[in-house]
Amino acid sequence: MQNNLAEEIQIIPIILIGISLLILMSAAIVLFFYLSRKKIVKTELEKATLEIQHQREMLQTTLLTQEDERKRIAQDLHDDISSKLNIVSLHASLVREEGITPQEANTLGAKIAGITTTVLESSRRIAHALLPPSLEKFGLVAALEELCDQLESSKKYEITTVFQYEEEILPKDHELHVFRIVQELINNTVKYADAKTVNLSLQSTKNTLHLHYEDDGNGFDLSEGKKAKGLGLSGIKNRAAIIGATISLQSQPQKGMSLDVVKQLT
Amino acid sequence: MSEIPIYLGDIQVLLALILAVIYFIGFSKYGKAYKIFTLYLAVIAIIQLITFYYALYKWNNIFFFHFYFISQFIFMSLFYYNLLKNNFILLILGLGLVVISAQFVLDPTIFYEYNTYGVSLTQSIIVLYAIIYYYRSLSVANPFMLINTGVLLYFITSILFFASGNLFLHPDIPKETKRYIGLINQFLYFVFQVLIFLEWYRNYRIKKV
């Protein structure tokens, strides 16, 4: 009995130590949890801030593009429509004046008709630039071909195109983004590149859609981010992001540029 | 010094009752997990009250301990089942109950002593749930974090306390030693209760607008 008691009394400190260790262990788990959570929350917060910043930048670019577009439309309307309609109005009021000979009236009428035709042509051109009817009516490939034809008709460029695209692989609004990307690229080539040849291809396989654009113009230094932004590349990036595609851009000064847009089709 | 555990014990019974009552106030307002936890608090409070009454008359209250740890296992498992949404918990609950029942059938004498294996097993399982719940809450804000912390702190440490429970029934162990070990357990249980209270105070108190 005595022996037994001695043994059990020895057990007591072991139990005490055990309980202390368990307290320590559970406190460690709790501490570990709270510290890890703090760290994770901090990184997530940083990530979210970056994301918001990115979105803000995207929004800003969109707004700037929108403003530019408005400015351009206003300019076009002012230069090509309003000024000419002013002349029409002037001529029309002349026709109404008393003492005008039929011959003069005829001349004025012919002038009015002539100007009206150019105004009509201008308004068609402006509307066309805003939203090409061929895209709506005949699809993406037709719209792209038209775009290339317009470029080719300037006789400054040699254009090679490859289109293997089945209509309606992409939804309509995505097709518009693809069209706008190409439009922007061609704009850049015309404005800055001083290129001789342009290659454009749009190919779709079962799983991927691949848009390739290349010119042999001036090119630019990729590290000069500001210049790249000026080229409307952020607009291209935004559009690619919206349709869920990735883009890769290659360019060097005096060595032209090429851009690939790849979208996985699911 | 030796008087403190007794006072702390009394306070705990009172606290258990208060906690059950304040949690009942929002019973219909909050979700399933809250309801289960409230029921757990109510059952524990009733068991504590009865054991307290028995102890007052120096009757043997040890068999209430079985009700205590089995109901604790059931309610806590259901509580974590609601938080973790994993059917595995129900399976473990069923298996655990089968094992404990088998224990009582095979050896009915354990009804009159601490069921050390049973209590260690069930408490360890609950601790495991609490750790899993911690893990799940690392990146998302989940409810009942304070209660979960209390469960971890109290249930881990009390495993050894209850596992050595039969030793305390031994008449030869000096009373002082029993008191000291009991004091540690009661202190940890008090911390658990405070955390339960804080959880209610911070998240489930009916606020006057």
Side-chain angles (χ1 to χ4, degrees):
Chain A
M1 190 65 207
Q2 201 62 30
N3 199 14
N4 208 2
L5 174 65
E7 263 176 27
E8 282 180 357
I9 287 175
Q10 268 185 353
I11 289 174
I12 301 294
I14 297 175
I15 292 172
L16 280 173
I17 291 168
I19 289 177
S20 326
L21 283 177
L22 287 175
I23 292 174
L24 203 69
M25 201 173 89
S26 50
I29 293 174
V30 171
L31 201 70
F32 180 75
F33 166 75
Y34 278 102
L35 291 180
S36 313
R37 188 155 87 152
K38 216 171 154 187
K39 207 170 172 183
I40 288 173
V41 167
K42 201 180 152 200
T43 16
E44 296 222 328
L45 202 73
E46 276 168 11
K47 235 163 82 185
T49 318
L50 270 180
E51 181 81 5
I52 289 170
Q53 205 180 341
H54 176 70
Q55 277 177 356
R56 203 172 284 163
E57 269 171 24
M58 243 171 107
L59 189 71
Q60 209 171 4
T61 331
T62 315
L63 287 176
L64 280 179
T65 324
Q66 206 178 36
E67 283 308 317
D68 279 351
E69 194 75 3
R70 281 185 184 167
K71 216 191 246 171
R72 202 177 57 78
I73 296 168
Q75 188 93 40
D76 281 356
L77 285 176
H78 179 264
D79 295 353
D80 297 346
I81 313 273
S82 305
S83 56
K84 282 174 185 158
L85 282 178
N86 265 337
I87 303 173
V88 170
S89 146
L90 200 72
H91 285 348
S93 57
L94 278 177
V95 172
R96 282 195 311 190
E97 265 180 20
E98 284 173 24
I100 193 165
T101 63
Q103 208 174 4
E104 279 172 333
N106 268 345
T107 326
L108 284 172
K111 269 187 187 166
I112 290 175
I115 296 169
T116 317
T117 317
T118 49
V119 170
L120 267 176
E121 181 54 39
S122 299
S123 72
R124 194 177 296 129
R125 190 177 48 73
I126 292 169
H128 201 279
L130 287 176
L131 185 74
S134 55
L135 181 65
E136 193 87 342
K137 281 186 196 155
F138 307 110
L140 180 60
V141 171
L144 291 178
E145 273 170 351
E146 197 186 340
L147 210 58
C148 293
D149 285 347
Q150 283 169 5
L151 188 65
E152 209 163 22
S153 65
S154 69
K155 311 248 184 238
K156 279 186 192 165
Y157 307 95
E158 197 177 300
I159 301 174
T160 323
T161 54
V162 180
F163 295 120
Q164 283 175 345
Y165 173 79
E166 280 178 43
E167 296 298 329
E168 288 174 11
I169 284 180
L170 289 177
K172 279 271 173 232
D173 53 332
H174 285 191
E175 283 188 344
L176 180 63
H177 287 304
V178 172
F179 176 80
R180 292 288 187 222
I181 289 174
V182 176
Q183 203 177 24
E184 186 63 46
L185 288 166
I186 287 177
N187 270 347
N188 285 343
T189 300
V190 172
K191 272 193 202 159
Y192 310 106
D194 193 21
K196 297 266 179 317
T197 59
V198 172
N199 295 326
L200 171 68
S201 76
L202 178 71
Q203 288 168 302
S204 62
T205 61
K206 232 179 182 181
N207 304 317
T208 52
L209 177 79
H210 184 188
L211 174 76
H212 176 79
Y213 183 90
E214 197 180 327
D215 73 27
D216 63 346
N218 289 333
F220 52 89
D221 194 346
L222 284 175
S223 57
E224 286 179 38
K226 273 189 185 169
K227 200 177 170 190
K229 262 189 185 168
L231 292 175
L233 282 175
S234 55
I236 292 174
K237 272 182 196 160
N238 288 351
R239 289 187 191 277
I242 290 170
I243 64 171
T246 52
I247 64 171
S248 65
L249 175 68
Q250 268 104 37
S251 183
Q252 274 180 4
Q254 307 309 323
K255 285 190 180 167
M257 62 80 70
S258 79
L259 181 109
D260 289 279
V261 179
V262 179
K263 180 182 160 57
Q264 299 297 329
L265 303 167
T266 45
Chain B
M1 180 73 188
S2 60
E3 294 297 308
I4 294 169
I6 297 165
Y7 292 142
L8 203 58
D10 296 349
I11 292 167
Q12 274 167 6
V13 178
L14 192 68
L15 255 178
L17 279 173
I18 292 171
L19 286 177
V21 170
I22 60 174
Y23 267 76
F24 249 114
I25 294 171
F27 191 75
S28 56
K29 265 183 78 178
Y30 301 107
K32 251 187 182 170
Y34 181 91
K35 289 192 171 87
I36 293 168
F37 194 75
T38 308
L39 289 177
Y40 161 75
L41 287 176
V43 170
I44 295 302
I46 291 168
I47 293 174
Q48 283 202 343
L49 205 64
I50 297 172
T51 42
F52 180 73
Y53 183 76
Y54 267 56
L56 219 57
Y57 289 94
K58 304 223 183 289
W59 294 338
N60 186 354
N61 60 13
I62 192 73
F63 54 90
F64 282 111
F65 182 70
H66 304 294
F67 293 122
Y68 170 76
F69 89 85
I70 292 169
S71 52
Q72 173 172 275
F73 180 50
I74 294 171
F75 281 112
M76 275 300 174
S77 294
L78 291 176
F79 176 65
Y80 280 109
Y81 168 70
N82 261 285
L83 295 180
L84 297 169
K85 307 271 182 237
N86 192 330
N87 288 333
F88 211 61
I89 293 176
L90 292 182
L91 186 74
I92 292 174
L93 173 63
L95 278 176
L97 290 178
V98 167
V99 169
I100 293 163
S101 317
Q103 252 189 322
F104 283 111
V105 171
L106 290 174
D107 182 14
T109 56
I110 57 167
F111 205 69
Y112 299 101
E113 51 187 50
Y114 272 110
N115 183 351
T116 48
Y117 293 109
V119 75
S120 309
L121 179 76
T122 54
Q123 300 225 127
S124 310
I125 291 170
I126 293 165
V127 165
L128 202 69
Y129 295 155
I131 292 176
I132 294 171
Y133 191 58
Y134 253 170
Y135 177 72
R136 289 251 186 112
S137 311
L138 272 175
S139 53
V140 271
N142 275 334
F144 300 112
M145 278 336 291
L146 283 171
I147 289 180
N148 198 55
T149 304
V151 168
L152 250 179
L153 281 175
Y154 177 66
F155 281 54
I156 289 184
T157 43
S158 65
I159 289 174
L160 196 57
F161 174 78
F162 287 126
S164 59
N166 279 327
L167 214 59
F168 291 84
L169 295 177
H170 205 290
D172 294 334
I173 300 289
K175 272 193 172 177
E176 279 296 298
T177 318
K178 285 184 199 175
R179 279 229 174 90
Y180 281 129
I181 295 183
L183 177 66
I184 298 171
N185 182 57
Q186 284 181 334
F187 173 71
L188 287 167
Y189 191 70
F190 180 69
V191 171
F192 182 37
Q193 285 184 319
V194 167
L195 285 168
I196 295 173
F197 175 77
L198 284 178
E199 178 78 62
W200 172 82
Y201 187 79
R202 284 174 65 170
N203 302 322
Y204 298 101
R205 181 165 45 114
I206 312 272
K207 289 166 191 145
K208 280 181 189 160
V209 185

